[in-house]
């Protein structure tokens, strides 16, 4: 799952003591407090959207290492507990910090992408992920380009596998997005473009057709 040394590069943003903690967790998870490690990763993910995009890889590596070393899941349990706490307080988080909210959605979608049980995404994450994406599809969120951008990026990444887990909710989500695109005034031209591209992306079987690539991405770069 990634190049050697990739995880080390991603933890350079931490202080020296936390870097040691994370490096040990990646190699010898039994030697550190894994609940503390889970909290450190979530805290950083809420502050740093670049880190939140890659944190799933680090979590996956720690979970694999712990499973091999001790056949336990202390880290995974701590991680999921903390994700649930932040999920339950998501409206307060969004009101307090739009960036923190966008980072949280990015992080939980990243965890959904990486964590597997019997080679399937974790069922426990399906509805929380959907709920976050539905929140991004509400009228007030569609007026904020940061939230539209986050929604589009996450659905490009995990939309296909999320739809396999619950197709009805994906239909409902795209019903909201179509209504937002067609009926809602005041959307920026970039948000309209991103939403239309996303609707066509799903209609084409979660693929970008050559014609769409040429049309949308030349528009965005312009």
């Amino acid at each position: 799952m990634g190049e050697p040394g990739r995880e080390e590069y991603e933890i350079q943003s931490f202080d020296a003591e936390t870097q040691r903690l994370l490096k040990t967790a990646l190699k010898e998870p039994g030697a550190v407090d894994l609940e503390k490690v889970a909290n450190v990763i979530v805290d950083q993910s809420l502050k740093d959207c670049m880190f939140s995009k890659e944190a799933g890889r680090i979590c996956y590596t720690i979970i694999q290492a712990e499973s091999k070393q001790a056949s336990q899941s202390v880290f995974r349990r701590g991680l999921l507990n903390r994700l649930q706490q932040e999920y339950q307080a998501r409206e307060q988080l969004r009101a307090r910090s739009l960036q923190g909210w966008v980072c949280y959605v990015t992080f939980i979608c990243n965890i959904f992408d990486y964590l597997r049980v019997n080679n399937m995404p974790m069922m426990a994450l399906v509805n929380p992920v959907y709920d976050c994406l539905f929140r991004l599809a509400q009228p007030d969120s569609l007026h904020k380009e940061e939230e539209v951008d986050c929604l589009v990026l996450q659905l490009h990444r995990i939309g296909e596998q999320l739809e396999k887990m619950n197709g009805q909710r994906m239909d409902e989500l795209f019903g909201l997005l179509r209504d937002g695109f067609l009926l809602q005034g005041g959307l920026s031209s970039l948000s309209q473009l991103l939403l239309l591209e996303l609707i066509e992306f799903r209609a084409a079987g979660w693929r970008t057709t050559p014609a769409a690539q040429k049309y949308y991405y030349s528009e965005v770069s312009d």
Side-chain angles (χ1 to χ4, degrees):
M1 302 290 289
E3 313 83 49
R6 180 73 180 270
E7 288 83 7
E8 284 204 18
Y9 173 76
E10 288 157 2
I11 63 177
Q12 295 304 313
S13 53
F14 293 96
D15 62 57
E17 183 183 345
T18 306
Q19 284 191 40
R20 281 195 297 275
L21 176 73
L22 291 174
K23 285 177 182 177
T24 306
L26 286 160
K27 295 181 175 69
E28 290 184 74
V32 294
D33 179 347
L34 290 173
E35 201 160 318
K36 180 180 179 183
V37 172
N39 282 319
V40 162
I41 290 173
V42 175
D43 287 340
Q44 186 68 14
S45 293
L46 294 180
K47 291 186 291 192
D48 180 349
C49 276
M50 289 304 292
F51 181 78
S52 71
K53 289 176 184 175
E54 301 294 343
R57 187 191 309 272
I58 296 175
C59 293
Y60 172 85
T61 304
I62 295 172
I63 287 168
Q64 292 294 102
E66 185 188 14
S67 176
K68 284 176 190 163
Q69 193 178 71
S71 298
Q72 289 186 312
S73 54
V74 173
F75 175 77
R76 187 172 75 180
R77 189 164 59 247
L79 176 67
L80 293 175
N81 284 342
R82 182 65 195 281
L83 275 173
Q84 184 178 26
Q85 287 171 21
E86 298 297 338
Y87 164 76
Q88 288 170 341
R90 62 194 181 280
E91 283 297 336
Q92 295 94 307
L93 173 61
R94 183 178 179 274
R96 189 170 67 246
S97 166
L98 194 65
Q99 183 191 347
W101 157 242
V102 165
C103 287
Y104 174 73
V105 177
T106 303
F107 180 61
I108 194 172
C109 290
N110 200 259
I111 295 298
F112 173 82
D113 193 26
Y114 271 93
L115 266 55
R116 290 284 184 272
V117 175
N118 299 325
N119 213 29
M120 291 285 288
M122 293 188 68
M123 280 303 300
L125 290 175
V126 173
N127 280 326
V129 167
Y130 263 122
D131 289 344
C132 290
L133 297 178
F134 267 81
R135 183 63 187 87
L136 292 175
Q138 297 305 310
D140 57 338
S141 292
L142 292 179
H143 280 98
K144 298 188 188 312
E145 284 185 356
E146 309 99 296
E147 290 186 280
V148 175
D149 190 51
C150 178
L151 175 67
V152 170
L153 285 171
Q154 303 321 314
L155 282 168
H156 268 264
R157 180 171 188 162
I158 64 167
E160 186 171 17
Q161 52 182 320
L162 195 57
E163 182 167 35
K164 287 174 183 170
M165 304 301 284
N166 188 332
Q168 182 181 342
R169 288 206 76 184
M170 190 63 76
D171 288 340
E172 291 167 4
L173 177 60
F174 271 79
L176 265 184
L177 293 177
R178 277 189 295 273
D179 287 349
F181 175 75
L182 293 169
L183 305 176
Q184 198 166 314
L187 297 186
S188 74
S189 55
L190 178 59
S191 292
Q192 288 178 318
L193 193 72
L194 289 170
L195 289 174
L196 183 57
E197 186 277 335
L198 181 62
I199 290 165
E200 291 194 6
F201 180 70
R202 184 196 180 210
W206 301 102
R207 299 289 179 270
T208 301
T209 64
Q213 176 79 24
K214 186 176 178 184
Y215 176 74
Y216 290 108
Y217 292 98
S218 65
E219 290 277 340
V220 170
S221 62
D222 291 347

